[in-house]
Amino acid sequence: MDSLTHIVLGACIGELVAGRKLGKKAMLLGAIAQSIPDIDLVASFWLNTSSDLLAHRGITHSILFALLLTPVLALLSKRWFKERDITVNDWMFFWGIQIFIHIFIDSFNAYGTGWFEPFSHYRVSFNTIFVADPLYTMWPLIASLVLLILKRNNPKRYWWARFGLVLSSVYFISCIANKLLIDNEVRMALKKQQIPFKRYFSTPAPLNTMLWYIVAENDSGFNIGYRSVFDKQSTIAFHYVYRNDSLLQPVKGNEDLQHLIRFSQGFYTAEKWHDTLVFNDLRFGDMAGWRYPDAKFVFHFYLQPPQENKMVVQRGRFANWNKYAVAALFTRIRGN
């Protein structure tokens, strides 16, 4: 999830777990604890782009990292706050639940989370919620703002912390329900339309969980389409893109390419943009594809000739967005 979401979630959890003993410091420590796994962003100062893609949400988002760091932070906290009546076990719970919740919810995005690093490079991706979803973040954000205003001894603080966490959790559960519904409809549509596929994935379109982006893979490429939870038609309007592996032959020994193939989990295409060879990771969607079926993909990496590839995950996220694209998004959400 985005940094703001982790911060406000951490603040609410901190208040709920330790607010009565730490006061508003519990919110601050909670926000810090919830943000700790994203310390891997520091690696981007030393790594090239393709290596950084693999480093992010890697070892610092692993179960091993959480298990090793939690007792260290607990012992340090016991020393720093020795005047407080908080046991080491209490501190273990405080830091542990924050870090584990961070790596848990991050695994529900499309990026992938390295739970099992360094023993396995497998990335966990449940593709259930967009990386920034206002309807998920708003509840702990509202609660955090109220908690900042309320005095330390106000009896309503506990209620507001629960408010932020309960409503965000209810929304999260609704995201899972939508995912299950969409996946069932996708499988039925692929069967009805007699579209052969080896595997597929569905992931939310930007900023919502009502409209879903669908990619179904076969031997030579991918069928791509959108499905709303409000669609009444049983079929999906797919369009086809070829993988174009042959275009990658001139750079098959390129280290960037090997990193990108691993990162994309095999959901990629290659294409030529004029004289530039481009690698697309399909998992991050296409640029306003609900309006432009032939839109370019959000994640595009310039392989040859080498060009600037910083912010490769984000640079196409909201490309082609204007009032017409936003209107088309809401229209498409309402269903066919």
Side-chain angles (χ1 to χ4, degrees):
M1 302 300 293
D2 63 287
S3 297
L4 176 61
T5 300
H6 286 303
I7 288 170
V8 295
L9 272 179
C12 288
I13 295 169
E15 174 65 30
L16 204 61
V17 173
R20 290 174 180 172
K21 293 183 177 181
L22 289 174
K24 292 188 179 182
K25 287 182 181 178
M27 293 180 62
L28 175 60
L29 289 176
I32 293 171
Q34 185 71 207
S35 303
I36 283 175
D38 283 338
I39 196 173
D40 58 12
L41 292 172
V42 176
S44 62
F45 292 109
W46 290 278
L47 298 176
N48 63 33
T49 301
S50 66
S51 298
D52 185 42
L53 290 169
L54 295 174
H56 183 46
R57 293 198 185 181
I59 188 66
T60 64
H61 285 63
S62 69
I63 295 171
L64 178 65
F65 177 84
L67 291 174
L68 293 178
L69 189 62
T70 295
V72 173
L73 292 173
L75 290 171
L76 290 173
S77 299
K78 180 63 177 175
R79 181 175 180 180
W80 290 333
F81 297 93
K82 55 186 175 183
E83 73 282 0
R84 308 280 182 170
D85 184 25
I86 305 177
T87 67
V88 172
N89 286 339
D90 289 337
W91 281 117
M92 288 270 288
F93 180 75
F94 180 90
W95 292 103
I97 193 171
Q98 295 276 17
I99 296 173
F100 274 104
I101 286 176
H102 181 121
I103 66 176
F104 175 74
I105 62 173
D106 270 5
S107 67
F108 283 80
N109 303 147
Y111 195 100
T113 305
W115 280 4
F116 310 113
E117 294 282 358
F119 310 108
S120 169
H121 295 319
Y122 175 77
R123 291 292 181 109
V124 181
S125 307
F126 295 119
N127 292 297
T128 303
I129 187 169
F130 192 68
V131 67
D133 190 319
L135 290 179
Y136 181 69
T137 305
M138 65 182 291
W139 308 113
L141 175 59
I142 292 170
S144 295
L145 293 174
V146 173
L147 288 168
L148 286 173
I149 296 170
L150 292 177
K151 292 183 178 180
R152 170 179 177 170
N153 57 354
N154 192 307
K156 293 184 178 180
R157 293 185 64 84
Y158 190 77
W159 186 91
W160 276 104
R162 289 181 61 187
F163 166 88
L165 295 175
V166 168
L167 290 186
S168 62
S169 298
V170 169
Y171 179 73
F172 194 82
I173 291 170
S174 76
C175 297
I176 296 173
N178 286 342
K179 170 75 172 178
L180 295 174
L181 171 67
I182 289 295
D183 278 356
N184 183 58
E185 292 180 346
V186 168
R187 288 191 294 269
M188 290 192 299
L190 289 169
K191 182 178 180 180
K192 181 177 181 178
Q193 294 172 239
Q194 298 182 347
I195 297 175
F197 69 99
K198 297 191 296 186
R199 56 178 181 158
Y200 78 93
F201 73 84
S202 61
T203 195
L207 308 177
N208 78 103
T209 56
M210 299 292 110
L211 181 63
W212 295 69
Y213 165 75
I214 315 297
V215 176
E217 179 188 19
N218 62 26
D219 289 334
S220 58
F222 305 89
N223 284 283
I224 296 174
Y226 283 86
R227 180 80 182 178
S228 169
V229 296
F230 302 114
D231 280 351
K232 294 181 174 58
Q233 296 179 358
S234 59
T235 57
I236 298 174
F238 287 108
H239 69 278
Y240 194 78
V241 295
Y242 287 94
R243 189 190 300 275
N244 292 327
D245 264 329
S246 60
L247 292 178
L248 298 175
Q249 285 301 312
V251 292
K252 63 180 180 180
N254 185 295
E255 184 181 42
D256 283 338
L257 176 61
Q258 301 310 312
H259 289 167
L260 292 167
I261 291 174
R262 175 181 148 194
F263 175 69
S264 70
Q265 300 176 22
F267 288 104
Y268 69 87
T269 66
E271 59 183 338
K272 281 279 193 177
W273 294 5
H274 302 295
D275 295 330
T276 303
L277 177 61
V278 177
F279 180 99
N280 301 304
D281 187 331
L282 276 55
R283 296 173 303 146
F284 298 92
D286 43 19
M287 301 178 192
W290 54 89
R291 186 173 184 229
Y292 310 105
D294 59 347
K296 295 185 182 300
F297 293 101
V298 166
F299 182 108
H300 48 278
F301 189 101
Y302 305 121
L303 282 169
Q304 192 184 51
Q307 296 184 37
E308 180 57 64
N309 282 305
K310 290 183 179 178
M311 300 295 292
V312 65
V313 175
Q314 304 295 342
R315 63 181 169 196
R317 183 81 76 184
F318 296 106
N320 295 335
W321 280 57
N322 52 37
K323 63 181 181 180
Y324 303 108
V326 173
L329 175 63
F330 283 105
T331 299
R332 186 63 189 87
I333 286 173
R334 288 199 293 269
N336 290 328

